[in-house]
Amino acid sequence: MPSARPILDQSASREPAVQTVPHAKLANAIRALAMDAVEQAKSGHPGLPMGAADIATVLFTQFLKFDAADPKWPDRDRFVLSAGHGSMLLYALLYLTGTAPMTIEEIKRFRQLGSLTPGHPENFITPGVETTTGPLGQGIATAVGMALAERHLAAGFGGDIVDHHTYVLASDGDLMEGISQEAIALAGHLKLNRLIVLFDDNGISIDGPLSLADSVDQVKRFESAGWAAERIDGHDPKAIAGAIARAQKSERPSLIACKTTIAYGAPTKAGSEKSHGSPLGAEEIAGARKALGWDAPPFEIPADILAAWRQAGSRGGAAREAWAKRLAAKDAALRGEFERRIGGALPAKALAAAVAAMKDRLAAAPKETATRAASEAVLDVLTAAVPEMVGGSADLTGSNNTRPKGMAALSANNYGARFIHYGIREHGMAAAMNGMALHGGVIPYSGTFLVFADYLRPALRLAALMGERVIHVLTHDSIGLGEDGPTHQPVEHLAALRAMPNLNVFRPCDIVETLECWELALKAKDRPSVLALTRQNVPQLRLANDADNRCARGAYEIAPAAGAAKVAIFASGSEVAIALEAQKQLAARNIAARVVSVPCMDLLLDLPAAERKALIGDAPVKVAVEAAVRQGWDAIIGADGLFVGMSGFGASAPAKDLYRHFGITAEAVVNAVLGVAGKS
Ligand SMILES: Cc1ncc(C[n+]2csc(CCOP(=O)(O)OP(=O)(O)O)c2C)c(N)n1
């Protein structure tokens, strides 16, 4: 466990000037940069960086285990600025500690196009930023996943190479958001004692004092969730250091509620919402400089102060080197496995062999089964081949079929296990999964009902934005779930998920496609995936033993037309069987139809135009069949295409009755085609 190592009394070889830099000057460097950058950009949030500067200074100069020379060092402590609007705090820290490539020029370009200093922190833009934050509550919930991944990997690889903390700076807004409740409950339950949340308890949000809308006692709230929690003066460096030192020793995750003044140092705007999200103005900044005793011009950090900060940035170098030696001394197989997993490479051979063997079995003995059960069979095979897969469910384990045989439940007594009971916390689950993926070494997958994608969507959106490999198994994917009725029957969800950039939405039609879609989801290293799966049984439609992954282009012709196609029927998931039946009925009327299975519309639409057009073909009549709303399908069938699906909410009844009632049948497809034929 890293101990408190104050930089100011550490090394005999240090420059005398550095040794004498007092805390206030180090913190004021952050304040000055935040004020000046926001002023220059004419937009941004100076209040939080100025208020939280003391907390951040103590953390970064005395506790945080990091090395500015290598911001990706796997055993570094993670720091998550949950209140992403305070991004200048993080940018100032990166610059001051000397984390390349953050420079003063980038600070001057705060919030400008192409800069390393966008409005909110983006992990894919700025080295040293652990996760994208901005939507309040996401950061703290993501950090739970990071802390969980740390414990999981420590159990697997040993505490001598995985041994770090996750620190969060959270604001009032973070703690007011509902997702924070899911996150703190999960962290408390799992006793994630490497998680330390520093709460910037300034009592101010955008509308004014928090008393307008909130009267929660956060310390009691966290305590009731199983955390250690205490209140301190967030401007007293000794109090901050004492609390962090105590938190590091705690058996539980820790909340440190740091009482602060927003925009500390600003003469008239400190303590007021006026400093939250707008430039302070020249006069106020001049007053703050005076009050803080900061006389350096804008964007200039006096050499002694910068040197002290740079020293803080490099103080973890020795720890990193020692860690690298410990890793190098490990058994070669274990080291190789650790490096592979942290690097995110799949065990390619084992995966390919597992997929091929399962295809052989399915070709020899086809299976009619629900695709959710197909997914379970696939997971039995894949989780054996890919040990970094960590599963879970939001209390629907038996329905989502995400727990393969023999996968033990992860708990505070068994962090090495691979199945997480997230509880009924879809949003917290998805955010924690993001944190695990960001931490590295883990491929998180999990489950809930497709209709509850709405409950996790904000976290999924961040996964898509960040390009993180998380896999959501979303079962009960249509009216085909039957009796639970319209509250549980997704209709708009496929369209809504397909609308999200950089997310692959898979809806396999049978067990073979389920296997292929899982393989694609695992291989999609730079994006999240959704697998939309049925509750009801579907026949195995892919009977040949195809060596290639036919789902890889998003769509493929599953049944060609006998002769030149007059009709092309496109379908996904459970409706592919309906399309194939319609093809037969049309053939009986001498109408040649081809059927195209569309397991992933996103991949199809991403194809180069010529390839996409060739797959879609030029049959004069195009029909799409999907037990969901039409939106999105026009890209394939055109505005004049025929659509057989849903146009409103479902109903409570057995699945077969619902398909008939809503007219999603082979006969309906045939009638739609004949209707067009009749008109022409
Ligand atoms: C989910 C979400 N809702 C709303 C916002 C817009 N927003 C940004 S900061 C903020 C509240 C600011 O209050 P606080 O969290 O206390 O931050 P401080 O004023 O201390 O900087 C709001 C509502 C957001 N970023 N995320």
Side-chain angles (χ1 to χ4, degrees), residues 491-534:
V491 285
E492 77 279 29
H493 298 76
L494 289 170
L497 290 168
R498 286 172 183 149
M500 193 180 285
N502 203 38
L503 168 69
N504 284 343
V505 181
F506 294 101
R507 189 165 185 255
C509 73
D510 72 352
I511 188 165
V512 176
E513 279 198 2
T514 305
L515 173 61
E516 291 184 342
C517 292
W518 257 114
E519 186 187 17
L520 293 170
L522 283 174
K523 287 183 171 172
K525 197 179 167 195
D526 60 352
R527 55 171 64 180
S529 298
V530 158
L531 288 141
L533 305 175
T534 68

Coordinates of all heavy atoms in Angstrom, one line a residue, residues 491-534:
V491 N -40.0 -1.9 -28.0 CA -40.3 -1.6 -29.4 C -39.4 -0.6 -30.1 O -39.0 -0.8 -31.2 CB -41.8 -1.3 -29.6 CG1 -42.7 -2.4 -29.4 CG2 -42.2 -0.1 -28.7
E492 N -39.1 0.4 -29.3 CA -38.2 1.5 -29.9 C -36.8 1.3 -29.6 O -35.9 2.1 -30.0 CB -38.7 2.9 -29.4 CG -38.4 3.3 -28.0 CD -39.3 2.7 -26.9 OE1 -39.9 1.6 -27.1 OE2 -39.4 3.4 -25.9
H493 N -36.5 0.3 -28.8 CA -35.1 0.2 -28.2 C -34.0 -0.1 -29.2 O -32.9 0.4 -29.2 CB -35.1 -0.7 -27.0 CG -36.0 -0.3 -25.9 ND1 -37.4 -0.4 -26.0 CD2 -35.7 0.4 -24.8 CE1 -37.9 0.2 -24.9 NE2 -36.9 0.6 -24.2
L494 N -34.4 -1.0 -30.2 CA -33.4 -1.4 -31.2 C -33.0 -0.1 -32.0 O -31.8 0.2 -32.2 CB -33.9 -2.5 -32.1 CG -34.0 -3.9 -31.4 CD1 -34.8 -4.8 -32.4 CD2 -32.6 -4.4 -31.1
A495 N -34.0 0.6 -32.4 CA -33.8 1.8 -33.2 C -33.0 2.8 -32.3 O -32.0 3.5 -32.8 CB -35.1 2.5 -33.6
A496 N -33.4 3.0 -31.1 CA -32.7 4.0 -30.2 C -31.2 3.6 -30.0 O -30.3 4.4 -30.0 CB -33.4 4.1 -28.9
L497 N -31.0 2.3 -29.9 CA -29.6 1.8 -29.7 C -28.8 2.0 -31.0 O -27.6 2.3 -31.0 CB -29.5 0.4 -29.1 CG -30.0 0.3 -27.7 CD1 -30.2 -1.2 -27.3 CD2 -29.0 0.9 -26.7
R498 N -29.5 1.6 -32.1 CA -28.8 1.8 -33.4 C -28.4 3.2 -33.7 O -27.5 3.5 -34.5 CB -29.6 1.2 -34.5 CG -29.7 -0.3 -34.5 CD -30.7 -0.9 -35.5 NE -30.8 -2.3 -35.4 CZ -31.9 -3.0 -35.7 NH1 -33.1 -2.4 -36.0 NH2 -31.9 -4.3 -35.6
A499 N -29.2 4.1 -33.1 CA -28.9 5.6 -33.4 C -27.6 6.0 -32.7 O -27.1 7.1 -33.0 CB -30.1 6.4 -32.8
M500 N -27.1 5.2 -31.7 CA -25.9 5.6 -31.0 C -24.7 5.4 -31.8 O -24.4 4.2 -32.2 CB -25.9 4.9 -29.7 CG -24.9 5.4 -28.7 SD -24.9 4.5 -27.1 CE -26.4 5.0 -26.3
P501 N -23.9 6.4 -32.0 CA -22.6 6.1 -32.8 C -21.7 5.2 -32.0 O -21.7 5.1 -30.8 CB -22.0 7.5 -32.9 CG -23.0 8.5 -32.5 CD -24.0 7.8 -31.7
N502 N -20.9 4.5 -32.8 CA -19.9 3.6 -32.3 C -20.4 2.5 -31.3 O -19.7 2.1 -30.4 CB -18.8 4.4 -31.6 CG -17.5 3.7 -31.5 OD1 -17.1 3.0 -32.5 ND2 -16.7 3.8 -30.4
L503 N -21.6 2.1 -31.5 CA -22.1 0.9 -30.8 C -22.6 -0.1 -31.8 O -23.3 0.3 -32.7 CB -23.3 1.4 -29.9 CG -24.2 0.3 -29.3 CD1 -23.4 -0.5 -28.2 CD2 -25.4 0.8 -28.6
N504 N -22.2 -1.4 -31.6 CA -22.8 -2.4 -32.4 C -24.0 -3.1 -31.7 O -23.8 -3.6 -30.6 CB -21.7 -3.5 -32.7 CG -20.7 -3.0 -33.8 OD1 -20.9 -2.0 -34.5 ND2 -19.6 -3.7 -33.8
V505 N -25.1 -3.1 -32.4 CA -26.3 -3.7 -31.9 C -26.5 -5.0 -32.7 O -26.8 -5.0 -33.9 CB -27.5 -2.8 -32.0 CG1 -28.8 -3.5 -31.4 CG2 -27.3 -1.5 -31.4
F506 N -26.3 -6.1 -32.0 CA -26.4 -7.4 -32.7 C -27.8 -8.0 -32.3 O -28.2 -8.0 -31.1 CB -25.3 -8.4 -32.2 CG -23.9 -8.0 -32.6 CD1 -23.1 -7.4 -31.7 CD2 -23.5 -8.3 -33.9 CE1 -21.8 -7.0 -32.1 CE2 -22.2 -7.9 -34.3 CZ -21.4 -7.3 -33.4
R507 N -28.4 -8.6 -33.3 CA -29.7 -9.3 -33.0 C -29.6 -10.6 -33.8 O -30.2 -10.7 -34.9 CB -30.9 -8.5 -33.3 CG -32.2 -9.1 -32.9 CD -33.4 -8.1 -32.9 NE -34.6 -8.7 -32.3 CZ -35.6 -9.1 -33.0 NH1 -35.7 -9.0 -34.3 NH2 -36.7 -9.6 -32.4
P508 N -29.0 -11.7 -33.2 CA -28.8 -12.9 -34.0 C -30.1 -13.7 -34.1 O -31.0 -13.6 -33.3 CB -27.8 -13.7 -33.1 CG -28.0 -13.1 -31.7 CD -28.4 -11.7 -31.9
C509 N -30.2 -14.5 -35.2 CA -31.4 -15.2 -35.5 C -31.4 -16.6 -34.9 O -32.5 -17.2 -34.9 CB -31.7 -15.2 -37.0 SG -30.6 -16.4 -37.9
D510 N -30.3 -17.1 -34.6 CA -30.2 -18.5 -34.1 C -29.0 -18.7 -33.3 O -28.2 -17.8 -33.1 CB -30.4 -19.5 -35.3 CG -29.1 -19.6 -36.1 OD1 -28.2 -18.8 -36.0 OD2 -29.1 -20.5 -37.0
I511 N -28.7 -20.0 -33.0 CA -27.6 -20.2 -32.1 C -26.2 -20.0 -32.8 O -25.3 -19.5 -32.2 CB -27.7 -21.7 -31.5 CG1 -26.6 -21.9 -30.4 CG2 -27.6 -22.8 -32.5 CD1 -26.8 -23.1 -29.5
V512 N -26.2 -20.3 -34.1 CA -24.9 -20.1 -34.9 C -24.6 -18.6 -35.0 O -23.5 -18.1 -34.7 CB -25.0 -20.7 -36.3 CG1 -23.7 -20.4 -37.1 CG2 -25.2 -22.2 -36.1
E513 N -25.7 -17.8 -35.3 CA -25.4 -16.3 -35.4 C -25.1 -15.8 -34.0 O -24.3 -14.9 -33.8 CB -26.7 -15.6 -35.9 CG -26.8 -15.6 -37.4 CD -27.7 -14.5 -37.9 OE1 -28.3 -13.8 -37.1 OE2 -28.0 -14.5 -39.2
T514 N -25.7 -16.4 -33.0 CA -25.3 -15.9 -31.6 C -23.9 -16.1 -31.3 O -23.2 -15.2 -30.8 CB -26.2 -16.7 -30.6 OG1 -27.6 -16.5 -30.9 CG2 -26.0 -16.2 -29.1
L515 N -23.4 -17.3 -31.7 CA -21.9 -17.5 -31.6 C -21.1 -16.5 -32.4 O -20.1 -15.9 -31.9 CB -21.6 -19.0 -32.0 CG -20.2 -19.4 -32.1 CD1 -19.5 -19.3 -30.7 CD2 -20.1 -20.8 -32.6
E516 N -21.5 -16.3 -33.6 CA -20.7 -15.4 -34.4 C -20.8 -14.0 -33.9 O -19.8 -13.2 -33.9 CB -21.3 -15.4 -35.9 CG -20.9 -16.8 -36.6 CD -21.4 -16.8 -38.0 OE1 -22.2 -16.0 -38.5 OE2 -20.8 -17.7 -38.7
C517 N -22.0 -13.6 -33.4 CA -22.1 -12.2 -32.9 C -21.3 -12.0 -31.6 O -20.6 -11.0 -31.4 CB -23.6 -11.8 -32.6 SG -24.5 -11.7 -34.2
W518 N -21.2 -13.0 -30.8 CA -20.4 -13.0 -29.6 C -18.9 -12.8 -30.0 O -18.2 -12.0 -29.4 CB -20.5 -14.2 -28.8 CG -21.4 -14.0 -27.5 CD1 -22.6 -14.6 -27.3 CD2 -21.1 -13.2 -26.4 NE1 -23.1 -14.2 -26.0 CE2 -22.1 -13.3 -25.5 CE3 -20.0 -12.4 -26.0 CZ2 -22.2 -12.7 -24.2 CZ3 -20.0 -11.7 -24.8 CH2 -21.1 -11.9 -23.9
E519 N -18.5 -13.6 -31.0 CA -17.1 -13.5 -31.5 C -16.8 -12.1 -31.9 O -15.8 -11.5 -31.6 CB -16.9 -14.5 -32.6 CG -15.4 -14.6 -33.0 CD -15.2 -15.5 -34.2 OE1 -16.2 -15.8 -35.0 OE2 -14.0 -15.8 -34.5
L520 N -17.7 -11.5 -32.7 CA -17.5 -10.1 -33.2 C -17.5 -9.1 -32.0 O -16.7 -8.2 -32.1 CB -18.6 -9.7 -34.2 CG -18.6 -10.6 -35.5 CD1 -19.9 -10.3 -36.3 CD2 -17.4 -10.2 -36.3
A521 N -18.4 -9.3 -31.1 CA -18.4 -8.4 -29.9 C -17.0 -8.4 -29.2 O -16.5 -7.4 -28.8 CB -19.5 -8.7 -29.0
L522 N -16.5 -9.6 -29.0 CA -15.2 -9.7 -28.3 C -14.1 -9.1 -29.1 O -13.2 -8.5 -28.5 CB -14.9 -11.2 -28.0 CG -15.6 -11.9 -26.9 CD1 -15.3 -13.3 -26.9 CD2 -15.3 -11.2 -25.6
K523 N -14.2 -9.2 -30.4 CA -13.1 -8.7 -31.3 C -13.2 -7.2 -31.5 O -12.3 -6.6 -31.9 CB -13.1 -9.4 -32.6 CG -12.6 -10.8 -32.5 CD -12.5 -11.5 -33.8 CE -11.8 -12.8 -33.7 NZ -11.9 -13.6 -35.0
A524 N -14.4 -6.6 -31.2 CA -14.6 -5.2 -31.4 C -13.9 -4.4 -30.2 O -14.6 -4.0 -29.2 CB -16.0 -4.8 -31.5
K525 N -12.6 -4.3 -30.3 CA -11.8 -3.7 -29.1 C -12.2 -2.3 -28.8 O -12.0 -1.8 -27.7 CB -10.4 -3.9 -29.5 CG -9.4 -3.8 -28.3 CD -8.0 -4.0 -28.7 CE -7.1 -3.6 -27.5 NZ -5.7 -3.4 -27.9
D526 N -12.6 -1.6 -29.9 CA -12.8 -0.1 -29.7 C -14.2 0.3 -29.7 O -14.6 1.4 -30.0 CB -12.1 0.6 -30.9 CG -12.7 0.1 -32.2 OD1 -13.5 -0.8 -32.2 OD2 -12.3 0.7 -33.3
R527 N -15.1 -0.6 -29.3 CA -16.5 -0.1 -29.2 C -17.3 -1.1 -28.3 O -17.0 -2.3 -28.3 CB -17.2 0.0 -30.5 CG -17.1 -1.2 -31.4 CD -18.0 -1.0 -32.7 NE -17.5 0.1 -33.5 CZ -18.2 0.4 -34.7 NH1 -19.2 -0.2 -35.1 NH2 -17.7 1.4 -35.4
P528 N -18.4 -0.6 -27.7 CA -19.2 -1.5 -27.0 C -20.2 -2.3 -27.9 O -20.3 -1.9 -29.1 CB -20.1 -0.6 -26.1 CG -20.0 0.7 -26.8 CD -18.8 0.8 -27.6
S529 N -20.7 -3.3 -27.4 CA -21.7 -4.1 -28.2 C -22.9 -4.4 -27.3 O -22.8 -4.6 -26.1 CB -21.1 -5.4 -28.7 OG -20.0 -5.2 -29.5
V530 N -24.0 -4.6 -28.0 CA -25.3 -5.0 -27.4 C -25.7 -6.3 -28.1 O -25.6 -6.4 -29.4 CB -26.4 -4.0 -27.5 CG1 -27.8 -4.6 -27.4 CG2 -26.2 -2.9 -26.5
L531 N -26.0 -7.3 -27.4 CA -26.6 -8.5 -28.0 C -28.1 -8.6 -27.6 O -28.4 -8.8 -26.4 CB -25.9 -9.8 -27.5 CG -24.5 -9.9 -28.1 CD1 -23.5 -10.5 -27.0 CD2 -24.5 -10.9 -29.3
A532 N -29.0 -8.4 -28.5 CA -30.4 -8.4 -28.3 C -30.9 -9.9 -28.5 O -30.8 -10.3 -29.6 CB -31.1 -7.4 -29.2
L533 N -31.4 -10.5 -27.5 CA -31.6 -11.9 -27.5 C -33.1 -12.3 -27.2 O -33.7 -11.6 -26.3 CB -30.7 -12.7 -26.6 CG -29.2 -12.4 -26.9 CD1 -28.3 -13.0 -25.8 CD2 -28.7 -12.8 -28.3
T534 N -33.5 -13.4 -27.7 CA -35.0 -13.7 -27.5 C -35.2 -14.5 -26.2 O -34.3 -15.2 -25.7 CB -35.5 -14.6 -28.6 OG1 -34.8 -15.9 -28.5 CG2 -35.3 -14.1 -30.0

